[in-house]
């Protein structure tokens, strides 16, 4: 039996730093917009299961929709200025920290589901910040 030397698959091309940053910003914008819309327009339905008061849900939803627009606008820039990328890192990091504080300090009457929601949200937001850091560092190393 002979084993072929190649599988016929295309070689994997590493994702460029600008592509990684742009893709991360777009994914962050879309996910932020969807969650913002859910919080703004579905706040009454999810408020009780999460323990999230409607005024907070609406405020979070409006803030997230505004943030989604900003992320989408940054992602459209060609090239994306490093300063805007680092601003996205900072804002995401602060948001992740705030979500963790809200989950573990009794500022809101969150249920267990609400606390899990906040922690998972913090992990997602922190994950986007980490992707941005990787992309920005790669870009700096490559001189871009």
């Amino acid at each position: 039996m002979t084993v072929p030397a190649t599988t016929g698959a295309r070689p994997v091309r590493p994702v460029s730093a600008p592509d990684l940053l742009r893709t991360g910003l777009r994914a962050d914008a879309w996910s932020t917009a969807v969650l913002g819309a859910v919080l703004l327009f579905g706040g009454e339905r999810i408020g009780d299961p999460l323990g999230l008061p409607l005024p907070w849900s609406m405020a979070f939803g409006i803030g997230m929709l505004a943030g989604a627009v900003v992320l989408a606008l940054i992602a459209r820039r060609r090239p994306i200025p490093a300063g805007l990328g680092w601003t996205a890192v900072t804002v995401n990091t602060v948001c992740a920290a705030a979500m963790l504080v809200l989950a573990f300090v009794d500022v809101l009457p969150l249920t267990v589901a609400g606390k899990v929601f906040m922690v998972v949200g913090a992990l997602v937001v922190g994950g986007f910040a980490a992707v941005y850091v990787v992309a920005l560092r790669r870009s700096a190393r490559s001189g871009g």
Side-chain angles (χ1 to χ4, degrees):
M1 178 169 167
T2 309
V3 177
T6 63
T7 62
R10 294 183 191 171
V12 175
R13 180 179 63 86
V15 176
S16 72
D19 288 344
L20 179 61
L21 181 58
R22 189 174 319 285
T23 300
L25 287 163
R26 286 179 177 156
D28 194 356
W30 277 106
S31 63
T32 300
V34 168
L35 186 54
V38 167
L39 289 170
L40 182 59
F41 301 112
E44 290 180 350
R45 290 190 178 163
I46 64 172
D48 285 341
L50 297 179
L52 186 61
L54 184 59
W56 281 81
S57 180
M58 292 178 69
F60 288 152
I62 291 168
M64 291 180 80
L65 288 172
V69 169
V70 171
L71 289 166
L73 289 173
I74 294 171
R76 291 182 59 136
R77 300 282 305 262
R78 296 210 185 264
I80 298 170
L84 290 178
W86 287 111
T87 299
V89 170
T90 302
V91 171
N92 275 27
T93 302
V94 168
C95 287
M99 293 170 81
L100 290 174
V101 168
L102 289 174
F104 294 110
V105 177
D106 290 331
V107 174
L108 297 172
L110 297 175
T111 62
V112 171
K115 291 178 182 192
V116 169
F117 178 80
M118 289 290 182
V119 170
V120 170
L123 293 172
V124 170
V125 172
F128 280 120
V131 167
Y132 302 157
V133 168
V134 168
L136 290 163
R137 286 186 177 163
R138 275 190 200 171
S139 183
R141 277 197 306 266
S142 68

